[in-house]
């Protein structure tokens, strides 16, 4: 069975077509329309999707939503969705759908052990599931581009710098000083979070994902697994779980 997983995020919408656990096709756009979804679906020669799952942190196009709801066996991540993990969050009604999906994928990839998902997007989101499969929560901090914009917007003379990697730890211009501060600040932050979670469970598995993942992969002191689209993988896992119960 082919499934469609759709993750509508703050900046981009990502879409994955899965046959069981195998990713068949992937694309991302700023705004997903019904016409674009149909165009991409037609590329799956001989493989017609039968089910779809949606996670959105903002409003979904009404025409697209209606099509998904009436054309497939449709799941929308929310309060009534059943998950392979238990939710121990104290305010589940405020919990982002993307966080649940990322945590689900991380836990199942860990071999059902303690897992930490770190998603580097508009925000840097930390989601922890303990070894009993209970989602406990995590942390949210400003993402890479948000930090660069904040330095520009809340200072009189600092320029807005586009993100890029630098070779030196010490910034020797204003531009490289800003990049060093922001990039290395995030690296130290991520390593610090991993170290703290590891004090609670030394067997912790850590997964790094998100659009800005490449800026930090390979620069952390802690070992991590890089999963480019962990939210989509989690959505597919949630869909499969609901199909089987």
């Amino acid at each position: 069975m082919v499934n469609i997983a759709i993750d509508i995020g703050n900046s981009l919408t990502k879409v994955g077509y899965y046959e069981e656990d195998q990713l068949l096709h992937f694309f991302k756009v700023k705004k997903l329309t019904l016409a674009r979804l149909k165009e991409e679906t037609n590329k799956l020669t001989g493989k017609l999707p039968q089910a779809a799952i949606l996670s959105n942190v903002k409003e979904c196009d009404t025409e697209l939503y209606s099509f998904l709801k009436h054309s497939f066996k449709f799941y929308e991540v929310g309060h009534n969705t059943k998950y392979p993990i238990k939710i121990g969050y104290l305010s589940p009604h405020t919990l982002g759908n993307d966080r649940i999906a990322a945590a689900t994928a991380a836990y199942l990839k860990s071999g059902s052990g303690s897992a930490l998902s770190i998603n580097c997007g508009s925000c840097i989101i930390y989601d922890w599931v303990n070894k009993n499969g209970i989602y406990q929560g995590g942390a949210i901090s400003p993402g890479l581009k948000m930090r660069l914009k904040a330095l520009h917007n809340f200072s009189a003379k600092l320029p807005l710098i586009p993100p890029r990697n630098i070779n030196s730890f010490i910034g020797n211009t204003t531009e490289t000083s800003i990049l060093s501060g922001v990039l290395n600040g995030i690296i130290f932050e991520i390593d610090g979070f991993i170290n703290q979670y590891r004090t609670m469970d030394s067997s912790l598995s850590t997964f790094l994902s998100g659009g800005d993942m490449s800026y930090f992969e390979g620069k952390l002191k802690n070992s991590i697994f890089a999963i480019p689209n962990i939210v989509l993988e989690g959505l597919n896992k949630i869909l499969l779980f609901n199909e089987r119960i």
Side-chain angles (χ1 to χ4, degrees):
M1 184 175 78
V2 176
N3 306 318
I4 308 175
I6 302 174
D7 170 29
I8 301 178
N10 289 306
S11 303
L12 293 171
T13 293
K14 299 179 181 180
V15 182
Y17 294 80
Y18 290 86
E19 188 167 26
E20 288 296 320
D21 287 325
Q22 182 184 359
L23 180 65
L24 301 176
H25 182 55
F26 166 81
F27 71 97
K28 58 185 177 181
V29 291
K30 286 189 176 181
K31 180 176 174 59
L32 181 63
T33 63
L34 177 56
R36 180 61 186 274
L37 182 71
K38 287 183 175 180
E39 177 188 336
E40 296 291 339
T41 302
N42 288 336
K43 295 177 181 178
L44 298 175
T45 307
K47 293 182 182 290
L48 295 176
Q50 295 174 293
I53 187 166
L54 172 69
S55 165
N56 60 314
V57 299
K58 56 185 181 181
E59 289 187 9
C60 177
D61 178 86
T62 53
E63 185 183 31
L64 173 65
Y65 185 85
S66 178
F67 174 78
L68 291 170
K69 193 172 182 180
H70 295 100
S71 301
F72 307 103
K73 190 166 185 182
F74 179 60
Y75 298 93
E76 184 173 9
V77 181
H79 301 311
N80 297 322
T81 311
K82 293 181 172 59
Y83 304 111
I85 59 175
K86 298 176 182 178
I87 305 299
Y89 206 60
L90 295 182
S91 58
H93 60 285
T94 68
L95 181 58
N97 301 335
D98 53 339
R99 297 183 67 185
I100 300 173
T104 296
Y107 178 69
L108 295 178
K109 282 182 172 293
S110 74
S112 299
S114 174
L116 176 65
S117 164
I118 305 172
N119 202 349
C120 301
S122 298
C123 297
I124 301 173
I125 303 177
Y126 303 83
D127 293 298
W128 181 54
V129 184
N130 68 17
K131 61 184 178 182
N132 297 316
I134 302 173
Y135 174 82
Q136 300 286 338
I140 302 173
S141 73
L144 171 59
K145 296 180 184 68
M146 194 179 295
R147 297 182 195 212
L148 292 169
K149 287 179 181 177
L151 285 173
H152 172 65
N153 291 337
F154 295 103
S155 64
K157 294 184 178 181
L158 291 180
L160 178 59
I161 304 299
R164 66 176 178 86
N165 283 311
I166 55 174
N167 297 321
S168 174
F169 176 76
I170 299 173
N172 55 13
T173 66
T174 299
E175 179 176 339
T176 56
S177 294
I178 290 172
L179 289 168
S180 177
V182 172
L183 289 169
N184 288 301
I186 292 174
I187 291 168
F188 297 149
E189 174 190 304
I190 292 174
D191 268 325
F193 268 99
I194 295 172
N195 290 338
Q196 189 63 33
Y197 278 106
R198 200 152 269 156
T199 64
M200 294 180 274
D201 186 345
S202 60
S203 63
L204 177 77
S205 296
T206 303
F207 301 87
L208 189 70
S209 187
D212 290 332
M213 176 186 74
S214 61
Y215 291 102
F216 313 110
E217 182 186 1
K219 297 178 181 178
L220 300 167
K221 291 183 178 180
N222 285 282
S223 61
I224 54 97
F225 299 98
I227 311 292
N229 294 300
I230 198 168
V231 172
L232 286 182
E233 290 201 25
L235 289 174
N236 184 56
K237 292 288 189 184
I238 293 167
L239 188 155
L240 293 173
F241 177 77
N242 279 270
E243 286 287 291
R244 290 166 181 162
I245 59 176

